[in-house]
Amino acid sequence: MDFDFDADQLEFVAEVRAFLDEVRQWPDAADIMCPERESDSILADTPARKAFNKELAKRGYLGMSWPQEYGGQGRPGIYEYLLNEELSRVGAPLIGKGVGCVGQTIIRHGSDKLKQEFLPKILRAEVEFALGYSEPHAGSDLAALKLRAEREAGGWRINGQKMFTTSAHFADWYWLAARTDFDAPKHKGISVFLVPMDQPGITIHPIETMGEHVTNQVFIDDVFVEDAYLVGELNRGWTYICEALDYERFTFYTFSPLEEKLFALRDLLRTAQRDGAPVIAEPHVRRRLAKLTAEVEMSKMLQRRVIYASSQGRVPSIEAAMCKLYSTSLHQRLADFALDSLGTEGLLHKDDAEAPAAGKWEWSYRATALDTIGAGTSEIQKNIIARRALELPLTY
Ligand SMILES: Cc1cc2nc3c(=O)[nH]c(=O)nc-3n(C[C@H](O)[C@H](O)[C@H](O)COP(=O)(O)OP(=O)(O)OC[C@H]3O[C@@H](n4cnc5c(N)ncnc54)[C@H](O)[C@@H]3O)c2cc1C
């Protein structure tokens, strides 16, 4: 059994690494490549990070898996995954929702108008999207969403509220799931719209999280959307949302930050001192580090199973659930171990000049909780494993 990537894929990785070495010489490289950043390191949320994404576009790294007729290269999705691995290893923004769920859904289901308007902009990194799915009473049970889109001459009138929309404060367009049939079963009355974020009637309130990830509450009052900005068919939104999640699985769960954290922690514990000796000399610290090393390897294998299933054309719902559940809690265990090992100094905030490792681990301890919630909570991943892998009923 060969768990490695093939020669062409490894050559691609080397090419991306050479490109990232070039970017290290850019004046604003520290903003673009910031592995210490524990929150939002995947987002193009600053001018420097946006410029970086434009450079990715120029070099042909955006839309690699798209069909050639839409400006892509028709390459297997694994190249996008490999690119994202290298980007996330150095804390650079990832290729994003435009190339992923938005672009792929428009290619498969969008009208010619939407294709012409959005696909070239996505390929040139000229547009940022926010995904408006969750609502105050629709998170894990997303199909319960209540945002109302009501028919009017020439379009739709939208009213309601969204919760936890990442990127809403800097995105250009809102990929918005709304209820368009109020009598149909809940999965069958949802449609997806594209709405400009600067449209009057859209009010964005930031929500500060404990991990310093800024997400948003978005109020939508009497916003008119033309028919042309309905994505695909009316009331087929649930199918598109689920398909989009499948595209994300290929690129979303990068493994490299776990590996980088493990090595950074090992190096820190080599130099950190307790009672005049390196912390790493303590047997219980060595034992826990060895166990975590095995767990990081396990996380890599779980993630490779997601990639393998996807590359075989299967929807890796069980594999992805296991990988997300395991790797997000492993991020937490690493931070937990770091704080245990560093003692009280480890609790110093990154703004404190004396914080060990510039406060990364204290930040990590707070931020890693978020990933156990976003994109489906750990409990929901366990439900998927229970139902689909173990064939257990949801309730007894
Ligand atoms: C960092 C971050 C970024 C996010 N970005 C976005 C975004 O860009 N766009 C967007 O639309 N949303 C986004 N979200 C929202 C996210 O998808 C939801 O928070 C998540 O799906 C959980 O929904 P909820 O918060 O409503 O919690 P709820 O669904 O109300 O869950 C509350 C608790 O109950 C548990 N629970 C719920 N149902 C079950 C069940 N059936 N069995 C067992 N336990 C259950 C949950 O696990 C959780 O512990 C983001 C969230 C975070 C944390």
Side-chain angles (χ1 to χ4, degrees):
M1 202 179 296
D2 185 1
F3 287 109
D4 253 327
F5 299 111
D6 68 26
D8 191 60
Q9 290 159 354
L10 292 174
E11 196 180 311
F12 175 75
V13 170
E15 177 198 306
V16 173
R17 287 184 182 169
F19 161 63
L20 292 172
D21 281 342
E22 275 177 45
V23 178
R24 274 196 189 86
Q25 310 309 317
W26 291 11
D28 36 19
D31 180 13
I32 298 164
M33 293 197 263
C34 192
E36 297 75 32
R37 195 173 148 164
E38 280 288 320
S39 300
D40 298 347
S41 59
I42 64 170
L43 301 178
D45 56 354
T46 66
R49 293 180 146 244
K50 284 186 182 177
F52 172 78
N53 272 5
K54 287 212 166 79
E55 187 62 27
L56 287 179
K58 264 198 224 151
R59 300 203 178 211
Y61 288 145
L62 299 191
M64 286 185 289
S65 70
W66 288 13
Q68 288 175 345
E69 60 180 304
Y70 299 116
Q73 297 160 31
R75 293 179 100 172
I78 192 139
Y79 288 88
E80 279 165 353
Y81 158 72
L82 289 170
L83 174 65
N84 269 352
E85 271 296 359
E86 294 312 309
L87 297 176
S88 62
R89 185 182 295 285
V90 298
L94 305 192
I95 55 178
K97 315 179 217 350
V99 175
C101 66
V102 175
Q104 297 272 18
T105 308
I106 291 177
I107 286 172
R108 285 182 71 151
H109 304 289
S111 62
D112 286 345
K113 177 185 163 50
L114 292 187
K115 285 180 180 141
Q116 280 154 20
E117 182 166 346
F118 288 100
L119 298 184
K121 281 190 199 159
I122 293 172
L123 286 180
R124 294 195 299 263
E126 286 173 0
V127 59
E128 281 288 335
F129 297 92
L131 305 183
Y133 296 146
S134 306
E135 296 182 5
H137 300 289
S140 302
D141 184 13
L142 183 59
L145 64 86
K146 290 196 169 69
L147 184 84
R148 293 177 79 84
E150 286 166 290
R151 199 89 186 85
E152 255 187 27
W156 298 84
R157 181 72 56 188
I158 306 189
N159 278 289
Q161 186 195 338
K162 290 286 171 187
M163 273 303 270
F164 305 128
T165 307
T166 296
S167 313
H169 52 299
F170 63 88
D172 310 295
W173 284 84
Y174 211 3
W175 179 259
L176 196 57
R179 188 155 299 283
T180 38
D181 185 331
F182 308 95
D183 302 318
K186 63 181 180 180
H187 295 89
K188 299 202 167 147
I190 296 169
S191 301
V192 173
F193 295 89
L194 273 159
V195 184
M197 286 294 332
D198 60 359
Q199 180 112 329
I202 296 187
T203 313
I204 300 167
H205 287 302
I207 305 173
E208 302 277 344
T209 65
M210 66 191 244
E212 299 180 39
H213 161 79
V214 178
T215 183
N216 301 279
Q217 214 174 358
V218 182
F219 296 91
I220 301 155
D221 294 310
D222 259 347
V223 168
F224 181 75
V225 183
E226 285 172 34
D227 270 329
Y229 292 95
L230 167 72
V231 178
E233 281 177 48
L234 187 63
N235 296 326
R236 293 262 299 154
W238 185 252
T239 309
Y240 304 154
I241 292 168
C242 295
E243 274 183 23
L245 283 172
D246 293 340
Y247 301 130
E248 295 300 292
R249 286 193 179 107
F250 220 133
T251 53
F252 194 66
Y253 302 110
T254 54
F255 158 77
S256 50
L258 268 176
E259 193 173 52
E260 294 299 316
K261 278 185 185 175
L262 179 73
F263 293 149
L265 187 54
R266 174 202 60 193
D267 294 346
L268 178 66
L269 296 177
R270 270 185 180 148
T271 51
Q273 299 272 317
R274 187 159 32 227
D275 299 332
V279 174
I280 201 146
E282 296 173 22
H284 70 98
V285 170
R286 297 167 79 88
R287 263 201 303 273
R288 243 173 114 184
L289 191 59
K291 186 163 181 281
L292 285 166
T293 307
E295 290 178 4
V296 167
E297 189 62 21
M298 236 158 82
S299 180
K300 180 168 154 185
M301 290 304 140
L302 285 173
Q303 189 246 24
R304 293 270 163 104
R305 293 186 59 190
V306 178
I307 305 306
Y308 178 71
S310 303
S311 71
Q312 300 300 300
R314 283 192 279 122
V315 176
S317 52
I318 298 169
E319 291 90 340
M322 288 183 182
C323 180
K324 180 173 193 278
L325 175 66
Y326 192 81
S327 59
T328 52
S329 75
L330 181 52
H331 273 282
Q332 289 186 296
R333 289 198 293 284
L334 278 166
D336 198 29
F337 172 55
L339 291 200
D340 278 356
S341 307
L342 291 170
T344 43
E345 270 183 25
L347 296 176
L348 293 176
H349 188 267
K350 60 185 163 50
D351 293 343
D352 194 310
E354 289 179 27
K360 177 183 172 69
W361 294 105
E362 187 275 337
W363 189 3
S364 185
Y365 189 79
R366 288 180 285 120
T368 48
L370 300 179
D371 288 336
T372 65
I373 302 169
T377 67
S378 293
E379 288 74 22
I380 295 304
Q381 307 312 317
K382 286 179 200 164
N383 279 347
I384 294 171
I385 296 164
R387 275 168 55 208
R388 299 193 195 160
L390 299 173
E391 298 181 1
L392 294 171
L394 259 186
T395 48
Y396 282 96

